[in-house]
Amino acid sequence: MFVTRLISGVILLAVMITAVCLSGPVLFFFLLAISLIGMFELYRAAGSGKQPWNLLFAVSYAGAIGYYCLIWGGWKDYYLSGVMACLIAILFVYVFTFPKYGVDQIMTAFFGIVYVAVSLSFIYRTRHLTDGQFSVWLIFICSWGCDTMAYVAGRLFGKHKMAPLLSPKKTVEGAIGGVIGAALIGAIYAAIIGRWLHSGGNHVLIYAAICAVGALVSMVGDLAASAIKRNKEIKDYGKLIPGHGGILDRFDSVIITAPIIYTLAFLAAG
């Protein structure tokens, strides 16, 4: 299991690095693909996936694709309108097929678009900010870096359970270690790439602060994904990534962290 997990993790990391570095169409379609897969995993976990290709699902996936088209076209003024259009389309299905779908299915459909597709799209948007080729990596430093450092700190110093019903192994000490560790990694990263940044200010302090905030948010994302699995009594969202589970199992913290890092990086870029 460890070898399988390691190999699949290395492959996933290589694909992610390649997509982010190449940016453009490669990153765009990579994020669109994992968004659609992640939505499918969420709908299936929520119990709405008994008929995975029904009209409600088709409209939800089409809404996510439409939102990505707005991003590809650079129509920033219409991003929020695109999200509202998704909601209206889902409500059309709800009203004109009533009572085929329950209100829980309708809310899950819209939640999937925002929680998965819209959130992951912020990776692409961060990549296209000023200094985005550097700041986009903060999303993964905050998410995966915090997770690794929290694990180490928890193993060494963990005593007080942080959320025993959701994740019995996570501790307050581990969480603190994760935040501090992510901030340190962010500071070191800024010290290395600072000479190539165009934005002003103390990059080391700015990146450390961004990573600290992002690390806190990433833990909420991780626990939120665990809460959904606990509610639905499932172990993993899928089996796409051997040893890791599905897209949502691997990107659960990234999903929530990406919008926050985009906002902070945008403000830092001035």
Side-chain angles (χ1 to χ4, degrees):
M1 175 61 75
F2 174 76
V3 175
T4 300
R5 182 180 176 86
L6 178 62
I7 293 174
S8 61
V10 170
I11 294 174
L12 176 63
L13 183 61
V15 172
M16 192 75 235
I17 290 174
T18 301
V20 173
C21 288
L22 292 177
S23 190
V26 176
L27 179 59
F28 178 85
F29 286 108
F30 173 75
L31 291 173
L32 176 57
I34 65 173
S35 292
L36 295 176
I37 295 171
M39 287 171 63
F40 177 81
E41 291 177 350
L42 179 67
Y43 295 156
R44 182 174 55 189
S48 302
K50 296 178 181 178
Q51 295 178 307
W53 305 116
N54 59 30
L55 179 60
L56 179 61
F57 271 67
V59 169
S60 300
Y61 295 134
I65 294 171
Y67 181 80
Y68 268 82
C69 287
L70 291 176
I71 294 175
W72 180 254
W75 295 312
K76 298 180 180 180
D77 294 338
Y78 299 99
Y79 289 172
L80 181 57
S81 298
V83 174
M84 293 307 299
C86 292
L87 175 59
I88 293 170
I90 289 172
L91 291 178
F92 260 91
V93 174
Y94 183 40
V95 169
F96 291 107
T97 62
F98 189 85
K100 183 175 182 179
Y101 303 107
V103 66
D104 56 333
Q105 292 174 293
I106 297 301
M107 290 190 291
T108 298
F110 182 65
F111 177 71
I113 295 173
V114 177
Y115 176 64
V116 183
V118 174
S119 294
L120 283 175
S121 72
F122 279 93
I123 297 176
Y124 183 84
R125 295 178 63 182
T126 302
R127 178 65 177 81
H128 288 81
L129 289 174
T130 301
D131 296 326
Q133 70 270 37
F134 300 111
S135 58
V136 68
W137 299 108
L138 298 180
I139 296 172
F140 305 101
I141 290 175
C142 293
S143 303
W144 297 340
C146 173
D147 188 51
T148 301
M149 299 304 293
Y151 174 80
V152 173
R155 293 281 293 181
L156 294 175
F157 310 109
K159 292 182 179 180
H160 302 87
K161 301 297 183 181
M162 183 171 66
L165 295 180
L166 288 180
S167 187
K169 294 183 180 180
K170 284 183 170 57
T171 62
V172 174
E173 293 81 5
I176 294 172
V179 173
I180 294 175
L184 287 175
I185 296 173
I188 294 170
Y189 175 61
I192 294 173
I193 56 94
R195 71 184 70 178
W196 294 291
L197 296 176
H198 296 92
S199 57
N202 188 321
H203 300 124
V204 172
L205 289 179
I206 291 173
Y207 273 36
I210 289 176
C211 285
V213 174
L216 283 170
V217 174
S218 75
M219 287 186 282
V220 174
D222 185 17
L223 291 172
S226 296
I228 294 173
K229 289 191 288 187
R230 294 283 183 182
N231 282 154
K232 295 301 177 179
E233 299 180 345
I234 58 173
K235 183 178 183 297
D236 296 315
Y237 283 102
K239 299 179 180 180
L240 182 65
I241 310 170
H244 293 269
I247 290 296
L248 294 185
D249 294 295
R250 186 65 274 179
F251 287 85
D252 50 6
S253 55
V254 172
I255 284 173
I256 297 301
T257 306
I260 299 300
I261 298 304
Y262 168 83
T263 302
L264 296 176
F266 177 80
L267 294 173

